Amino acid sequence: KQEVTQIPAALSVPEGENLVLNCSFTDSAIYNLQWFRQDPGKGLTSLLLIQSSQREQTSGRLNASLDKSSGRSTLYIAASQPGDSATYLCAVPTSGTYKYIFGTGTRLKVLA
Amino acid sequence: DAGVIQSPRHEVTEMGQEVTLRCKPISGHNSLFWYRQTMMRGLELLIYFNNNVPIDDSGMPEDRFSAKMPNASFSTLKIQPSEPRDSAVYFCASSLEGRAFFGQGTRLTVV
């Protein structure tokens, strides 16, 4: 059974800092891994999708890496801004499916 | 495309009433998911359809919950009878071979 853990649960940083969010999963037989952002009272926005054959994906100030063998992914946010404040969730499918299991998220606050 | 569309956005109902949540996935997507989000349990997958066929409903909490996908452009999640512990935000998502797109959710309150 796929289990997804995210550390830290909450993070507060001053504007401009680079930061790393962590995601670990127990079943490495996955097609891909996704990172999402959720603003309070809103739905989830897909940020990055890493296929199982890839090691990283980049979009603007965001970079996500994937190490399947160790069951880990990191989301790196460069030069953080107050607008980055949100909850970040990673989602991993169970083995051989696209049935996504979510971590509990990291609640990020970037202080101006 | 307008994205995944859910209705209603908010629903308040009395215990024992039937509740129907609706979802229109993104055109061309072949997978559809219903999730429930609460503070205590986070995001839980309730049911997953592929090509309109229910593939895995192991997350449906009990027989009071049912979901249908009569065609590629519409799905419903029904709760009958509803109970206060069903209060949550219910999300629908669709995907095509990987990347999932979520609707804005339906906030359900059962009083």
Side-chain angles (χ1 to χ4, degrees), chain A residues 7-45:
Chain A
I7 295 173
L11 185 61
S12 185
V13 300
E15 182 177 6
E17 273 203 11
N18 302 324
L19 50 100
V20 175
L21 309 181
N22 297 290
C23 172
S24 60
F25 49 94
T26 54
D27 183 352
S28 62
I30 60 173
Y31 290 137
N32 58 43
L33 180 145
Q34 294 188 68
W35 282 93
F36 291 86
R37 168 185 173 139
Q38 185 175 29
D39 293 284
K42 304 287 187 183
L44 282 72
T45 301

Side-chain angles (χ1 to χ4, degrees), chain B residues 12-28:
Chain B
V12 180
T13 191
E14 291 185 347
M15 183 173 64
Q17 296 297 307
E18 177 181 296
V19 177
T20 299
L21 311 181
R22 296 173 175 79
C23 175
K24 177 177 167 45
I26 293 173
S27 177

Side-chain angles (χ1 to χ4, degrees), chain A residues 40-94:
Chain A
K42 304 287 187 183
L44 282 72
T45 301
S46 178
L47 296 173
L48 288 163
L49 168 70
I50 311 177
Q51 300 292 351
S52 61
S53 58
Q54 298 173 320
R55 293 194 64 83
E56 65 179 278
Q57 275 287 327
T58 298
S59 176
R61 294 182 295 107
L62 305 180
N63 175 276
S65 66
L66 174 62
D67 184 344
K68 275 183 58 178
S69 60
S70 66
R72 292 180 185 174
S73 176
T74 59
L75 178 67
Y76 176 83
I77 303 177
S80 58
Q81 302 171 357
D84 295 330
S85 299
T87 297
Y88 291 81
L89 301 114
C90 72
V92 187
T94 54

Side-chain angles (χ1 to χ4, degrees), chain A residues 32 34 36 38 41-44 46-49 51 89 97-102, chain B residues 9 33 35 37 43 45 48 56 58 91 95 97-104 107:
Chain A
N32 58 43
Q34 294 188 68
F36 291 86
Q38 185 175 29
K42 304 287 187 183
L44 282 72
S46 178
L47 296 173
L48 288 163
L49 168 70
Q51 300 292 351
L89 301 114
T97 77
Y98 288 114
K99 176 182 165 183
Y100 287 98
I101 305 301
F102 280 79
Chain B
R9 291 294 308 278
F33 309 83
Y35 285 87
Q37 187 176 39
L43 266 166
L45 178 65
Y48 156 41
D56 188 334
S58 59
F91 287 104
S95 75
E97 296 180 351
R99 194 161 194 169
F101 292 83
F102 279 70
Q104 291 297 300
R107 181 174 296 277

Side-chain angles (χ1 to χ4, degrees), chain B:
Chain B
D1 200 312
V4 177
I5 299 173
Q6 292 186 244
S7 63
R9 291 294 308 278
H10 302 274
E11 176 81 36
V12 180
T13 191
E14 291 185 347
M15 183 173 64
Q17 296 297 307
E18 177 181 296
V19 177
T20 299
L21 311 181
R22 296 173 175 79
C23 175
K24 177 177 167 45
I26 293 173
S27 177
H29 283 192
N30 60 352
S31 295
L32 184 139
F33 309 83
W34 282 101
Y35 285 87
R36 177 172 68 177
Q37 187 176 39
T38 61
M39 288 291 292
M40 290 294 293
R41 300 174 68 94
L43 266 166
E44 301 173 281
L45 178 65
L46 301 177
I47 187 168
Y48 156 41
F49 292 86
N50 194 52
N51 293 323
N52 312 340
V53 176
I55 302 300
D56 188 334
D57 65 355
S58 59
M60 296 286 261
E62 42 195 281
D63 291 346
R64 298 183 297 105
F65 285 69
S66 63
K68 294 182 180 180
M69 192 166 186
N71 56 61
S73 59
F74 184 65
S75 176
T76 59
L77 177 68
K78 184 177 292 187
I79 308 172
Q80 165 65 18
S82 57
E83 297 182 4
R85 61 194 168 116
D86 301 330
S87 297
V89 181
Y90 291 81
F91 287 104
C92 174
S94 69
S95 75
L96 178 65
E97 296 180 351
R99 194 161 194 169
F101 292 83
F102 279 70
Q104 291 297 300
T106 295
R107 181 174 296 277
L108 173 65
T109 304
V110 183
V111 297

